[in-house]
């Protein structure tokens, strides 16, 4: 039996932060032993909001390097850049034409991002979840490890695969049962780290798009900057840290980070910090952060010094990814009834 397949990705918009690591990438690492893992840098998604063409390539490289620095092993995982595999754009188009517009208008992330942009919202921003569905469905992914905020997009990918493609276009076997064209994926959202909140406001998630730099810890922030950001993080006037008090979202978030990064776990961290003042707690948290990020930063520096090695990884990733993606795309084209190009027919 082949191992179940995993696909996930992060956008190369600026620097990756603690939420990306704890909510997503950290969970990818463990899956490499048990699953057939595909991780892409989703650069086509990064241009759904205004982007800087001078930075896109460098950010794409840096994001791929961070995957490896966080423990993604190219010998066990396929690491690639989304735009290097044109099948993503083509499947997106096919899915666009069979996905109801009102499914996209309901997406919370679209609504949130759209209000920030007024009349400058692009068609691509609305279409973002369909491209994401294409990313996932191309690889017959069984599991998609993401943070909590992506749950609705995963449900959309499932609905597109099941209701719009398989049910409507799937060929039938002798008993009249549908033979699926696309695999219906499951989300994998781990509880711990699934929602890392902003340092400036414990009710908002930590995000790349927050204009306040102090609201997030980037994975490549130097130790002094981490310490400074933690020192300035929003607190409340109550003494002692605790979990689960809805009146104290900052405490919940920062104690959760400490529990996770120190490796102590929630119970031990909660009893250690139950009577602690913020002045004692913050240096502990800063230290846990600096120590957790130190090996990632060291490995990232090594990889950045050897761009040829990263190129090799991305090029072999592209080859492996393309082979799988082309097969799925071919199956989908056929199900939708397209005339095969004669060279494609000859290959089939
Ligand atoms: P993005 O930065 O939007 O490309 O997100 C990449 C991955 O990081 C996705 O799986 C998100 O769910 C996850 N993620 C982003 N922000 C957070 C956060 N604040 N907490 C937990 N996970 C997050
Ligand atoms: N939309 C995801 C995010 O912002 C990124 C993404 C794009 C993704 N394609 C994907 C995640 C496919 C998982 C699988 O977090």
């Amino acid at each position: 039996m082949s191992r179940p397949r995993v696909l996930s990705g992060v956008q190369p918009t600026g620097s990756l932060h603690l939420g990306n690591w704890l909510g997503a990438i950290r969970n990818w690492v463990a899956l490499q032993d048990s699953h057939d893992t595909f991780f892409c840098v989703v650069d086509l998604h990064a241009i759904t909001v205004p982007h800087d063409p001078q930075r896109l390539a460098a950010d794409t490289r840096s994001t791929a390097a961070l995957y490896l620095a966080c423990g993604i092993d190219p010998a066990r995982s396929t690491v690639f850049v989304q735009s290097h595999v044109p099948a993503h754009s083509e499947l997106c188009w096919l899915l666009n034409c069979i996905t109801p517009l009102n499914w996209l208008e309901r997406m919370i992330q679209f609504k949130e991002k759209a209000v920030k942009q007024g009349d400058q919202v692009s068609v691509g921003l609305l279409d973002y979840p369909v491209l994401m569905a294409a990313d996932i469905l191309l690889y017959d992914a069984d599991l998609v490890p993401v943070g909590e905020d992506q749950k609705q997009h995963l449900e959309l990918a499932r609905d597109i695969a099941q209701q719009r493609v398989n049910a409507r276009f799937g060929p039938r076997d002798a008993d009249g049962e549908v033979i699926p064209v696309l695999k219906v994926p499951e989300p994998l959202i781990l509880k711990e780290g699934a929602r890392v909140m902003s340092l400036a406001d414990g009710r908002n998630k930590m995000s790349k798009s927050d204009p306040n730099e102090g609201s997030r810890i980037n994975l490549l922030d130097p130790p002094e900057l981490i310490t400074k950001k933690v020192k300035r993080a929003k607190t409340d006037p109550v003494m002692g840290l605790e979990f689960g008090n809805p009146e104290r979202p900052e405490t919940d978030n920062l104690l959760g980070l400490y529990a996770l990064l120190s490796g102590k776990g929630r119970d031990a961290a909660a009893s250690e910090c139950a009577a602690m003042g913020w002045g004692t707690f913050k240096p502990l948290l800063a230290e846990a952060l600096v120590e957790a990020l130190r090996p990632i930063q060291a490995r990232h520096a090594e990889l950045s010094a050897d761009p040829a090695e990263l190129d090799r990884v991305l090029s072999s990733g592209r080859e492996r990814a393309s082979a799988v993606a082309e097969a799925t795309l071919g199956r989908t084209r056929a199900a939708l009834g397209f005339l095969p190009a004669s060279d494609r027919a000859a290959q089939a």
Side-chain angles (χ1 to χ4, degrees):
M1 278 295 282
S2 58
R3 294 186 296 173
R5 180 79 57 72
V6 161
L7 177 121
S8 196
V10 173
Q11 301 179 65
T13 20
S15 183
L16 301 200
H17 56 68
L18 209 55
N20 298 133
W21 182 44
L22 298 177
I25 303 175
R26 193 181 52 117
N27 305 324
W28 304 353
V29 175
L31 291 164
Q32 298 181 107
D33 291 327
S34 47
H35 290 69
D36 183 16
T37 39
F38 284 70
F39 300 116
C40 67
V41 179
V42 290
D43 54 348
L44 296 170
H45 278 103
I47 67 164
T48 55
V49 291
H51 82 288
D52 179 355
Q54 308 285 347
R55 291 199 44 186
L56 183 59
D59 284 348
T60 300
R61 265 180 174 288
S62 175
T63 302
L66 268 175
Y67 286 6
L68 305 188
C70 288
I72 301 302
D73 170 9
R76 288 181 292 158
S77 289
T78 303
V79 178
F80 66 105
V81 175
Q82 185 189 33
S83 68
H84 292 179
V85 181
H88 290 249
S89 302
E90 187 173 343
L91 184 62
C92 177
W93 178 256
L94 301 184
L95 301 180
N96 274 339
C97 296
I98 54 180
T99 300
L101 181 59
N102 65 33
W103 287 13
L104 298 181
E105 288 166 339
R106 282 204 286 269
M107 293 291 119
I108 295 161
Q109 186 174 294
F110 171 71
K111 289 194 266 191
E112 283 175 359
K113 288 190 180 176
V115 283
K116 292 185 194 149
Q117 291 185 53
D119 60 2
Q120 291 300 306
V121 176
S122 71
V123 174
L125 187 67
L126 179 69
D127 202 26
Y128 178 116
V130 181
L131 178 61
M132 178 165 165
D135 298 341
I136 297 166
L137 301 174
L138 273 178
Y139 297 91
D140 291 329
D142 297 278
L143 274 187
V144 184
V146 283
E148 179 72 35
D149 61 333
Q150 296 302 310
K151 201 169 167 209
Q152 195 186 29
H153 290 163
L154 251 298
E155 276 157 17
L156 183 90
R158 288 170 55 84
D159 290 345
I160 291 176
Q162 204 154 27
Q163 299 174 31
R164 307 306 289 191
V165 178
N166 293 345
R168 291 172 64 192
F169 298 101
R172 310 271 160 166
D173 66 14
D175 300 325
E177 294 288 326
V178 171
I179 304 168
V181 181
L182 298 173
K183 175 92 157 241
V184 181
E186 298 283 344
L188 177 68
I189 300 169
L190 299 186
K191 259 213 176 95
E192 290 202 345
R195 230 171 128 71
V196 175
M197 309 311 281
S198 157
L199 297 187
D201 178 355
R203 291 175 211 271
N204 285 334
K205 72 167 186 171
M206 185 177 285
S207 146
K208 286 172 188 163
S209 57
D210 192 325
N212 176 4
E213 258 299 317
S215 70
R216 66 187 155 261
I217 306 274
N218 295 318
L219 298 184
L220 297 178
D221 281 350
E224 318 78 69
L225 185 57
I226 295 178
T227 308
K228 193 163 109 189
K229 286 178 175 176
V230 171
K231 207 177 258 173
R232 296 196 178 154
K234 184 169 177 214
T235 56
D236 58 27
V238 183
M239 180 85 176
L241 286 106
E242 60 182 328
F243 283 124
N245 183 340
E247 302 297 311
R248 304 186 65 201
E250 285 79 24
T251 319
D252 199 85
N253 186 43
L254 298 183
L255 185 58
L257 289 177
Y258 178 64
L260 205 57
L261 296 169
S262 65
K264 292 181 175 168
R266 289 171 74 87
D267 291 345
S271 44
E272 181 187 352
C273 307
M276 210 178 259
W278 287 104
T280 316
F281 173 73
K282 279 188 164 180
L284 278 183
L285 173 61
E287 160 128 356
L289 274 164
V290 168
E291 288 313 315
L293 294 181
R294 192 188 299 284
I296 295 177
Q297 297 185 351
R299 178 92 181 101
H300 187 268
E302 270 172 40
L303 288 159
S304 304
D306 186 1
E309 172 59 18
L310 190 61
D311 284 342
R312 276 193 293 278
V313 167
L314 294 179
S315 153
S316 92
R318 179 183 63 79
E319 252 173 61
R320 275 151 75 183
S322 294
V324 179
E326 280 300 327
T328 312
L329 181 59
R331 233 167 44 227
T332 313
R333 279 199 205 104
L336 265 54
F338 284 94
L339 173 69
S342 49
D343 54 334
R344 280 185 192 143
Q347 279 166 18

